[in-house]
Amino acid sequence: GWKGNDPMRKMQINMYDLILCKTDAADLVCPEVANHHKQVAYLAFRIAEEFGLTAEQKRDILLAGLLHDIGAFSVQERLALFDFEENAREHADNGACMVELFPPLAHLSDTIRYHHEPWDHGSKTLAGRVPLASHIIHLADRIAVRINHRGDVLGQAEEIWKTVRSQSGAVFMPELVEAFIRVSRKEYLWLDLVYGSVLNIMPHLMPFDSKVMDMEGLLGLTRLFACIIDFRSPFTANHSSGVAASAERLAELAGFSPKECRMMRVAGYLHDLGKISVLNDLLEKPGKLDEQEYNIIRSHTYYTYRTLQNLQDFDTINQWASLHHERLDGSGYPFHLTADNLPLGSRIMAVADVFTAITEDRPYRAGMKEDEAKGVLHSMVKNQALCPYVVSLMDRYFDDINAVRIEAQRQSADEYHRFAARDMTGGR
């Protein structure tokens, strides 16, 4: 059913598993980049293992591999990186700055920042600042993009060895090239790389329980995910932050416990996770969407639900995040649940999402003022789209909730403008 776990039960969320959910969201809708982060992470791990690095170093390289392209905010940017490395430093620098927003991952920033730096016979080490891990990720990344997943993968090994060896010294660190060739003479490595669930192999190789997060850690990491989701476009740059803050305040007013209110904020940060793979052209289309385009947009809540479904102890947060486009009359999507099956948390998220969308300023229009926004919410209550109780809370505490939204989006806008300014000035 839709009851979920007891929200007061102690949560044990593994950082590795949550990061994996973020990569899964991108893979579900965009087959061209499917599994790329996972393949790079796995291959980098194997190279590091062959090179004799420690368990802690291998764990960090795995995490950096899963996150190495998070600074390429759009699907178009990620696709471009498959074919060439020009302008790669911009997305790498963005990615480094992104992980610095979350202290438990901040030590990976230089690994991500320099993961496209060539070896250049050892001269381009930027005064020793380029970590060994960056060179490992770089090699793994360039190998992964050369694999034709529609062909016989074992038959491609010789050509990939030849190509990589031809760039040894100039592009790649020679010792790492030789480590890769040694380990890749074993067929299992190639077969693992094209196996659909490649990262499901990893927990059997090394434990990640040391990365279990408390609630504040969970808030920090999902706040980072909200930036990844929203910073792709000025149209949505601060949306998740506004939804998260509004939903948390509504939950407080509805009598949720302090822990449940923090969970609601997490759900707000993740509610549009499934939009990671929607093309920017569609998100930014000024006119009305056609049927096919609307179907793509409509699918995002389904993808949010399915990716978060893999996380143990996340049932309640998943329901609150993923069901925000369901309607009380059963005409919403993607599950067409009716009022009897919609938890109060999901109803709160639905109101917070609509409220934020209509009151926030966007590049093409100003946000609605109080009377107009209330009119929209009341109309949706009348049409059995939104919960009358939650909208009544919005009526009574509009100024309070709006002030919370504005402040959260102001902080998010400051971060977004710092990233936008970096892009305009060429990064660091």
Side-chain angles (χ1 to χ4, degrees):
W2 297 93
K3 299 296 184 185
N5 293 334
D6 175 3
M8 295 312 296
R9 178 169 169 251
K10 182 175 175 61
M11 298 177 68
Q12 295 288 315
I13 305 300
N14 188 299
M15 187 201 311
Y16 166 81
D17 289 340
L18 190 53
I19 290 172
L20 204 54
C21 277
K22 177 259 160 194
T23 65
D24 283 343
D27 290 350
L28 282 168
V29 190
C30 190
E32 292 89 348
V33 298
N35 290 322
H36 176 68
H37 279 90
K38 298 178 185 179
Q39 290 158 354
V40 171
Y42 175 77
L43 188 52
F45 177 90
R46 288 302 193 190
I47 294 170
E49 184 177 51
E50 180 66 25
F51 203 67
L53 299 189
T54 67
E56 183 178 1
Q57 288 172 318
K58 288 186 290 186
R59 185 181 293 113
D60 282 346
I61 282 172
L62 182 69
L63 289 170
L66 288 172
L67 295 166
H68 72 282
D69 279 346
I70 64 168
F73 296 132
S74 70
V75 176
Q76 293 96 321
E77 287 176 283
R78 294 202 297 274
L79 286 169
L81 291 172
F82 270 53
D83 298 322
F84 54 84
E85 294 193 81
E86 287 84 354
N87 301 318
R89 288 180 181 175
E90 180 179 294
H91 91 273
D93 205 46
N94 280 341
C97 293
M98 295 288 284
V99 298
E100 286 169 357
L101 297 175
F102 182 54
L105 293 176
H107 66 290
L108 302 177
S109 62
D110 277 352
T111 297
I112 292 172
R113 176 172 285 111
Y114 300 118
H115 80 270
H116 279 287
E117 291 293 331
W119 177 247
D120 197 16
H121 307 286
S123 66
K124 284 202 172 179
T125 58
L126 299 183
R129 292 177 61 193
V130 180
L132 174 64
S134 297
H135 293 301
I136 293 175
I137 298 289
H138 186 206
L139 175 59
D141 178 73
R142 293 298 94 188
I143 292 166
V145 301
R146 286 181 170 86
I147 296 173
N148 177 2
H149 296 275
R150 293 186 176 87
D152 165 28
V153 69
L154 296 179
Q156 298 173 51
E158 288 283 353
E159 188 61 32
I160 291 175
W161 291 334
K162 180 180 177 182
T163 300
V164 171
R165 268 203 167 127
S166 72
Q167 297 177 311
S168 180
V171 179
F172 306 122
M173 181 178 174
E175 294 86 350
L176 293 177
V177 170
E178 295 310 311
F180 159 67
I181 289 174
R182 285 196 305 272
V183 71
S184 64
R185 291 196 183 280
K186 302 168 185 176
E187 289 85 354
Y188 83 88
L189 179 129
W190 298 102
L191 297 171
D192 277 351
L193 281 171
V194 297
Y195 176 52
S197 301
V198 57
L199 256 293
N200 291 343
I201 300 166
M202 298 308 301
H204 301 289
L205 300 180
M206 67 186 314
F208 282 86
D209 49 283
S210 63
K211 298 291 185 180
V212 169
M213 296 176 291
D214 59 14
M215 182 57 72
E216 292 310 304
L218 182 58
L219 276 165
L221 184 55
T222 52
R223 173 73 184 90
L224 170 61
F225 286 3
C227 293
I228 296 169
I229 295 163
D230 289 351
F231 283 11
R232 299 169 50 199
S233 167
F235 284 49
T236 61
N238 313 305
H239 179 68
S240 295
S241 294
V243 172
S246 303
E248 182 181 40
R249 184 65 182 126
L250 280 166
E252 291 173 0
L253 296 169
F256 281 42
S257 72
K259 180 179 178 182
E260 288 172 316
C261 290
R262 303 306 269 172
M263 290 168 62
M264 184 63 72
R265 194 175 192 104
V266 168
Y269 286 148
L270 295 174
H271 80 288
D272 274 346
L273 180 64
K275 282 188 177 176
I276 286 178
S277 294
V278 178
L279 293 173
N280 277 32
D281 290 348
L282 195 52
L283 292 176
E284 299 176 352
K285 184 175 178 179
K288 186 177 179 180
L289 301 178
D290 63 31
E291 183 179 0
Q292 182 180 6
E293 292 168 337
Y294 181 56
N295 286 339
I296 293 171
I297 292 290
R298 260 195 325 179
S299 67
H300 80 273
T301 50
Y302 171 83
Y303 293 125
T304 299
Y305 179 77
R306 288 301 180 207
T307 52
L308 296 179
Q309 190 179 31
N310 296 324
L311 288 174
Q312 186 178 359
D313 291 345
F314 230 66
D315 287 4
T316 301
I317 289 174
N318 190 5
Q319 289 177 48
W320 294 350
S322 303
L323 305 182
H324 65 278
H325 281 295
E326 300 290 343
R327 294 171 52 117
L328 301 186
D329 64 359
S331 65
Y333 58 86
F335 298 109
H336 290 260
L337 301 177
T338 58
D340 291 342
N341 290 311
L342 276 175
L344 179 57
S346 302
R347 300 174 187 218
I348 287 172
M349 192 64 65
V351 173
D353 183 54
V354 173
F355 163 73
T356 302
I358 62 179
T359 56
E360 65 189 354
D361 293 330
R362 295 192 176 179
Y364 56 92
R365 53 101 173 136
M368 293 181 183
K369 301 302 181 185
E370 180 176 350
D371 289 345
E372 189 179 4
K374 284 183 175 180
V376 170
L377 295 172
H378 292 163
S379 174
M380 294 183 73
V381 168
K382 185 177 180 180
N383 292 330
Q384 299 187 65
L386 296 179
C387 174
Y389 168 64
V390 180
V391 172
S392 74
L393 292 177
M394 183 65 72
D395 272 344
R396 290 171 58 194
Y397 300 100
F398 188 94
D399 288 344
D400 176 20
I401 298 167
N402 201 35
V404 167
R405 173 196 67 80
I406 289 170
E407 175 57 22
Q409 293 194 303
R410 183 196 64 76
Q411 293 179 20
S412 180
D414 288 346
E415 291 174 349
Y416 175 73
H417 290 141
R418 283 198 294 271
F419 279 98
R422 297 174 69 82
D423 288 347
M424 292 177 66
T425 57
R428 60 184 182 277

